[in-house]
Amino acid sequence: MKPTLRAPLRTAIAAVAAAFVLLPSTSAAQSPPEATLDAVQVDSSIDRPIGIAESANQGTVTARQLENRPRARTGDLLEAVPGVVVTQHSGDGKANQYFARGFNLDHGTDFRTTVLGMPVNMPSHAHGQGYSDLNFLIPELISTIQYKKGTYFAEEGNFSAVGAAAFDYVRSLPRGLFSLELGSHRYRRAVLANSGSAGAGTLLYAVEAVGNDGPWEVAENYKRFNGLLSWNLRAGNDELRIAAMTLQSSWRATDQVPQRALVSGIVGRYGSLDASDGGDTARSSVSADWQRRYANGALHANAFLVRSRLNLFSNFTLFAKDPVNGDQFNQAEQRLLGGVNLDRAWNHKLGRFESETTVGLQLRQDRLSPVGLYTSVARQRLATTREDRVVESSAGLFASNTTRWTPWLRTVAGVRNDRARFRVNSSNPADSGSVDDAISSPKFSAIFTPAEWVELYLNWGRGFHSNDARGINNAVNRSTPLVPARGREAGVRIDGLVRGLQTTLALWELDLASELVFVGDAGTTQASRPSHRRGIELSNVYRFATGWSADLDLAWSRARFTDGAVAGPYIPGAVNRTASLGITAESGRWSGGMRVRHVGGRPLVEDNSVRSPSSTLVNAKFGYALARDVKLTLEVLNLLNRKVSDIDYYYESQLRNEGAPVADIHTHPAEMRALRVGMSMRF
């Protein structure tokens, strides 16, 4: 008999309560404690990760490191994570397209992102499983991006098989900020932010307004508004932050087009075959984050409530299904998401050894009412393909222990248990129902520190991702609810052998019981075959002079299906190599950065007979301080004006003048060279 969610919830809560009672604790300390083991806070700019990190592919990106990075879109912030590539296959209002470790992650599946503790990945999303839209971020407020890769971290649950990134905001600003940017193709952006005392705490506010038409023949008419209001209180060993965020955006999209239409001149490089594609979206949230420090550890609690909606119109196959009206479809959803994260860490002795134990509970529920798929023409709905009301609930309980056995050896052992219920009320009664599932994920890492400048890592762990609730309850072809993943990694970090140089090298493998692949004619992801990946990642940061640094990230991977199917072993969209080279500089009044990003070719079909070409882009940013409080910036995006693709797919479509569908490469171009000038003032 499969477990229900209620019993696991009671068991999980009871287990956490028992852990709080049985493990030693003390009252709140009167002064900050001297921790026996440091919490994992890896900051490559101000901390030495040796002795702290649990894997070679774990670190923190700071606001200072982000300041001089050129950025075309908000989602490009994730490219600060070594080996991650961010592109777009549609309008700027949609979630970006992400690549990492040989995965085409589509819009975020298998890479978990959080903002102020709130999960960003959306299960059973109208457009794609694990959809991660980061457009509600205001980059100037980011304090850190903490990242990790692999299945080795007990605190990371659903969608984290490839990795995870946690965005945090500053609690206050030393001075107010006003920033204005103008650029090519009617790009404009304004930010206003400030903070001040409010009662016993600090109030921070920020607003952002963005507009852009892009280089497209059908002007994108992208409009976005973001707002933030947060209140932070520090009292002794307690810290509380309450934050409210909002996003509103709308756009017209130029989606990918078949190559034969480009070659024949039916459409230009930046043209569209359906001018009514696009959409609108909204997101509002409130979250509370509380932490209390004890002499022997810390207690952390986080709660959040998110309301979001999406209305998206796409036409990928043109006239293949409906030669008269065309194949545009509308994906729409309204979602209410709520959850709680709770964890307690203790520093203690394990025999005579220094040790730290963390126990945590993560609860989440998504209510979609409804999530629907409709046929449409020029954004007018014609018919309902399906419409569902979904309630997806999950509970995750985890425990992790770090023990330092000798000055040169420590281990991290963890386990998590996740249970989920997928309840669907569908417009097709046969697809309605409720399914429960559970999965356990043990983890283990051994870290060796033979010298103060080198650290070796051995990591192993299991993880998972969930499938769409509608596929899990499908009457014809049911998907597995929780899909296991298993990862292994060996890595080394060298810091200080050469003055100013930090190098990490990792060899990794990852097995998935079921791959999620993009289905072009449906515009979404679909559960597919089991897979195996392995790869090598090399990252270098070199601070060769005061204010000057260079970084080089290289990644190679091999991705294959493992079931021996006749179609072939290659995974469509799996990138086999990426490279990123960046230089940043600060000298007197001048500052700036230049980045080169290379993405290798990739198979577009299972037998590797059709491939996407590689691409290389160069972006640059320059800054000049007119005065202490006034700075001018110039960004040049696609500096060399390369005509490359942001994304390529292979599937069937039909042009208006064709009598039958034709299989072809469908491409979305990278944008042409663009200039953006900005001025920021502190007050």
Side-chain angles (χ1 to χ4, degrees):
M1 179 177 177
K2 288 195 172 184
T4 65
L5 186 62
R6 291 182 181 177
L9 276 173
R10 289 197 298 268
T11 303
I13 294 170
V16 171
F20 275 73
V21 173
L22 294 176
L23 286 173
S25 65
T26 62
S27 59
Q30 297 303 311
S31 60
E34 294 183 5
T36 306
L37 289 177
D38 294 319
V40 176
Q41 292 281 340
V42 186
D43 186 335
S44 60
S45 70
I46 60 176
D47 270 326
R48 298 187 68 242
I50 289 177
I52 302 173
E54 297 176 18
S55 79
N57 281 292
Q58 183 180 2
T60 297
V61 181
T62 65
R64 187 177 182 88
Q65 292 169 299
L66 294 172
E67 185 176 359
N68 291 317
R69 292 181 68 101
R71 184 183 65 251
R73 310 176 184 94
T74 302
D76 290 354
L77 289 163
L78 267 183
E79 288 199 346
V81 177
V84 174
V85 172
V86 180
T87 67
Q88 181 59 277
H89 81 98
S90 187
D92 286 335
K94 280 177 62 176
N96 290 89
Q97 196 87 17
Y98 307 104
F99 297 86
R101 287 204 162 182
F103 280 80
N104 176 352
L105 295 163
D106 193 49
H107 295 293
T109 304
D110 287 313
F111 194 93
R112 182 173 184 257
T113 52
T114 59
V115 175
L116 278 63
M118 295 181 289
V120 180
N121 302 76
M122 298 297 177
S124 305
H125 190 271
H127 187 62
Q129 181 70 346
Y131 187 88
S132 295
D133 184 359
L134 292 171
N135 280 308
F136 66 93
L137 284 171
I138 301 176
E140 288 83 355
L141 300 183
I142 294 172
S143 59
T144 58
I145 307 173
Q146 295 191 31
Y147 65 86
K148 56 192 77 166
K149 297 183 197 172
T151 56
Y152 326 122
F153 307 94
E155 66 275 14
E156 304 296 345
N158 197 8
F159 302 123
S160 66
V162 173
F167 290 81
D168 198 12
Y169 272 179
V170 297
R171 267 68 171 176
S172 63
L173 293 171
R175 287 174 293 163
L177 168 68
F178 173 71
S179 177
L180 179 65
E181 299 173 49
L182 299 172
S184 307
H185 317 302
R186 295 191 69 241
Y187 176 83
R188 60 266 188 212
R189 178 175 180 264
V191 176
L192 175 66
N194 203 355
S195 63
S197 298
T202 302
L203 186 69
L204 170 68
Y205 72 84
V207 291
E208 177 195 48
V210 179
N212 191 24
D213 281 348
W216 318 110
E217 293 178 13
V218 177
E220 186 174 10
N221 196 28
Y222 178 45
K223 298 175 182 178
R224 184 180 81 222
F225 172 83
N226 282 334
L228 167 79
L229 189 65
S230 76
W231 184 75
N232 188 75
L233 171 66
R234 291 184 179 179
N237 291 283
D238 290 88
E239 182 169 9
L240 172 67
R241 175 171 60 186
I242 300 173
M245 297 181 177
T246 185
L247 159 76
Q248 298 278 343
S249 76
S250 61
W251 67 96
R252 288 186 296 217
T254 295
D255 288 326
Q256 63 263 17
V257 298
Q259 280 194 347
R260 64 187 185 277
L262 293 169
V263 172
S264 64
I266 292 175
V267 65
R269 177 173 177 79
Y270 301 101
S272 173
L273 291 172
D274 192 331
S276 63
D277 285 353
D280 60 84
T281 188
R283 180 190 186 276
S284 58
S285 68
V286 61
S287 63
D289 192 271
W290 171 62
Q291 180 169 294
R292 168 170 289 181
R293 295 182 180 275
Y294 297 92
N296 71 339
L299 170 65
H300 179 229
N302 173 271
F304 51 87
L305 185 66
V306 181
R307 182 179 291 277
S308 66
R309 64 169 175 80
L310 173 71
N311 201 28
L312 183 65
F313 296 88
S314 308
N315 186 352
F316 300 141
T317 55
L318 306 174
F319 294 91
K321 300 175 183 177
D322 188 339
V324 177
N325 296 308
D327 297 351
Q328 188 184 77
F329 57 92
N330 173 211
Q331 295 165 309
E333 72 163 49
Q334 296 187 56
R335 179 185 302 257
L336 182 64
L337 157 65
V340 175
N341 300 315
L342 179 68
D343 61 80
R344 175 69 159 97
W346 291 266
N347 297 317
H348 59 93
K349 291 280 189 177
L350 189 64
R352 62 184 179 87
F353 303 105
E354 300 291 345
S355 190
E356 179 183 339
T357 297
T358 301
V359 177
L361 176 67
Q362 299 167 344
L363 305 175
R364 171 176 179 168
Q365 186 175 86
D366 292 70
R367 289 180 171 268
L368 292 93
S369 55
V371 53
L373 177 63
Y374 314 89
T375 57
S376 61
V377 174
R379 299 199 185 191
Q380 299 299 312
R381 290 180 182 174
L382 295 180
T384 299
T385 304
R386 68 176 295 172
E387 191 174 78
D388 304 272
R389 281 163 172 77
V390 176
V391 179
E392 188 166 331
S393 307
S394 64
L397 177 65
F398 71 89
S400 180
N401 173 265
T402 302
T403 299
R404 194 179 300 275
W405 303 99
T406 71
W408 52 268
L409 172 63
R410 57 195 163 93
T411 59
V412 184
V415 65
R416 66 176 294 130
N417 183 268
D418 289 270
R419 296 172 181 265
R421 168 174 288 178
F422 307 86
R423 190 166 73 241
V424 176
N425 183 8
S426 178
S427 56
N428 179 5
D431 293 330
S432 299
S434 181
V435 175
D436 296 351
D437 200 9
I439 191 169
S440 293
S441 307
K443 327 272 186 177
F444 182 79
S445 298
I447 302 101
F448 305 87
T449 312
E452 64 177 8
W453 51 269
V454 63
E455 195 155 69
L456 308 174
Y457 309 91
L458 294 176
N459 308 103
W460 176 90
R462 291 180 181 170
F464 72 98
H465 70 237
S466 64
N467 274 323
D468 193 302
R470 293 165 294 179
I472 293 167
N473 286 278
N474 189 278
V476 178
N477 186 19
R478 292 181 181 268
S479 303
T480 302
L482 302 179
V483 178
R486 183 179 62 189
R488 300 162 294 280
E489 187 168 318
V492 60
R493 187 189 305 266
I494 300 173
D495 188 359
L497 180 62
V498 175
R499 183 181 178 86
L501 176 64
Q502 181 186 116
T503 297
T504 61
L505 175 67
L507 287 76
W508 59 270
E509 291 187 322
L510 182 64
D511 295 293
L512 270 178
S514 174
E515 188 83 14
L516 281 172
V517 297
F518 180 81
V519 181
D521 59 359
T524 188
T525 53
Q526 192 174 85
S528 182
R529 301 151 56 189
S531 65
H532 172 78
R533 285 175 173 83
R534 65 175 183 264
I536 302 172
E537 292 183 329
L538 175 66
S539 296
N540 302 272
V541 178
Y542 184 33
R543 296 175 180 84
F544 52 89
T546 302
W548 289 77
S549 66
D551 60 88
L552 173 65
D553 300 318
L554 303 172
W556 171 89
S557 61
R558 182 182 186 274
R560 297 290 188 270
F561 289 121
T562 58
D563 59 354
V566 175
Y570 291 85
I571 301 174
V575 175
N576 63 0
R577 68 180 184 274
T578 63
S580 175
L581 171 64
I583 298 177
T584 60
E586 294 183 1
S587 179
R589 293 175 177 265
W590 292 94
S591 61
M594 183 173 291
R595 304 203 63 82
V596 181
R597 188 197 73 188
H598 173 79
V599 181
R602 51 199 178 274
L604 298 180
V605 292
E606 287 88 341
D607 64 3
N608 199 31
S609 60
V610 182
R611 293 183 59 83
S612 171
S614 62
S615 67
T616 303
L617 292 175
V618 180
N619 298 322
K621 182 177 182 179
F622 307 98
Y624 179 74
L626 284 176
R628 179 177 178 270
D629 297 326
V630 181
K631 184 177 181 180
L632 301 179
T633 58
L634 170 66
E635 280 186 287
V636 187
L637 306 173
N638 193 1
L639 178 67
L640 303 180
N641 205 26
R642 296 291 302 274
K643 293 184 177 181
V644 297
S645 297
D646 251 354
I647 192 72
D648 292 304
Y649 302 106
Y650 188 79
Y651 56 86
E652 288 187 344
S653 63
Q654 183 175 329
L655 300 172
R656 186 182 289 275
N657 62 351
E658 293 176 331
V662 177
D664 198 358
I665 294 176
H666 293 69
T667 185
H668 186 267
E671 297 188 23
M672 67 176 68
R673 183 192 294 124
L675 303 180
R676 296 178 183 177
V677 295
M679 180 181 70
S680 61
M681 297 184 295
R682 297 284 182 176
F683 59 90

